[in-house]
Amino acid sequence: MIGRFAKGLLCCSFLTIGGMIQSQESLILKGVVDGFDEEQNVPSLLHVRHFSAPAIGHGEWLTEALVLEDGSFTCDLGTLSDVAWLEFSAPPWSWMVLVRPDEPATLHLSPGGNVSNRLMQVSGNARWEGKHPSTFLDSLARFQADRMDELALPLLLKSEGIQHGSQDSLDALLQRAQVDFYQLWKAGEDWMTSQVFEDLRWRALWSWELGLGRSQKALDSMWNAWNASRPVQHLEERLASPGWFDGWVVRHDRWWKHREVDEARMNEAIFLADMDTLGSAMGSSWVGASSEDLAAAWLIKAMDAPDELTSRVWETMPFSRTFQDLYKTWMADRLVGRTGDRPTNIRWTLPNGYLDSLGGECPGRWVVMLVVRNGSASASREREIFSEIAENQTFKEICWLVLSVDATEEDWRSSLSARRSIKEQLVWLGNNPKHYEALGIRTIPQVISVDPQGFLSNKIQALPSQGLESEAERLLKRIGRRY
């Protein structure tokens, strides 16, 4: 599977959200944050992102929801015409959920069971009250996981040709599991309230059959049955259903690694800008394929294995505007937080409580930031060395900032009190996932550098204890101490 969103879709529960009050103007989601113990920071603010292009994991941040002292929150989601994929984020926790336009239930968000040192994208748990398709999909996922654990050893031994008890008992075990799964899967048909949910139900069956090691012929037959059950849609419309696209990707995953692929003919197709030649060069499965199928195949490759050939295909081949836009959006998203990107609208809090920005704090200068958080022993050690480097007059042409990503104001105050001198420039970025992504913040401690034009740079990125001072010296020498 490819892309952060698609990977999250496979490993998270198929849960949705509720608590929505419908009005003529907007949908108001009601929810509760609960399940956090005394040692965990209870989120005070939830950031909400809508995945408008789920096939490529592209989303736009919509709004923030304030969590009250009792854990309750409301969120204005505007007008929804169909089921929508949303992410609720309170770093490090993230909840991927489905929203129906007329959802009557209330969303409950709680921390997940797995503790992680990551700053973002740690999967939390979501639950709701009342009948909903996600109840069925979640139970189906649990059933599948439990049975696959039970069948793992027998299936492995069978694939290796090793006798494991009697063949009759193994066949009976597999047959019973198949019957139980299919009965449960079939019973969920009445639960599905939209094509998005129905595709997720079929995706569960597809995953089950793959796990059992079904032949390609059997999988092809199931895929045909799946698509025959769906309404007639253009491929662009089907891409809006993550369950369907996930199955499509699995079906054609890593097609560029097949023996039939002829790179020389691909180059010929690019030279001629000819779709038929491109399809035949991709292998027998793609001969006579529609331009939409070919575009989707190259979109998969762009997300999973981008290279010069892929770029040339997208620059040359006459793919539809829809797919061209998806590709451009994916490439733009891929750059966010990386070298060469220009973060905008980054706001932080100064020690005096005023708001400022990257451009306002250090206009027209190289900026080097050390990301810290209260309670991190390694961040504290690096901060000591960082302050010594920043106070060295050799590096006065560089703007040195200590960037706090403390989750609470109390922790921010603790970080403030730990300043070794008032000369240390310390700012509070807060616990904002939008800013984390824009600056490429992935760990604590971390060094981030920005050039005088405001673009992220890799010229200085070593931690203070691992060569930051040497990198700064090389940079100043290279630019002649003037910029």
Side-chain angles (χ1 to χ4, degrees), residues 107 111 127 133 159 172 183 191 211 216 260 352 374 377 402 466 468:
L107 170 66
R127 65 180 178 86
S159 67
Q183 286 179 343
W191 285 69
Q216 188 61 51
E260 294 181 313
N352 60 12
N374 182 49
V402 177
Q466 298 175 8
L468 171 63

Side-chain angles (χ1 to χ4, degrees), residues 300-345:
I300 291 174
K301 188 176 187 307
M303 290 191 285
D304 198 45
D307 56 17
E308 183 181 352
L309 176 64
T310 306
S311 298
R312 290 171 57 217
V313 165
W314 280 101
E315 290 169 359
T316 307
M317 304 310 295
F319 295 138
S320 70
R321 178 64 179 271
T322 297
F323 281 97
Q324 289 284 355
D325 289 345
L326 281 172
Y327 172 72
K328 291 175 182 177
T329 299
W330 164 257
M331 295 302 289
D333 284 354
R334 185 167 169 261
L335 182 61
V336 172
R338 299 177 182 270
T339 298
D341 189 31
R342 189 174 190 174
T344 59
N345 300 320

Side-chain angles (χ1 to χ4, degrees), residues 67-86:
V67 180
L68 304 181
E69 290 187 5
D70 62 358
S72 65
F73 66 88
T74 58
C75 183
D76 187 344
L77 297 176
T79 301
L80 294 179
S81 59
D82 202 352
V83 176
W85 284 98
L86 295 183

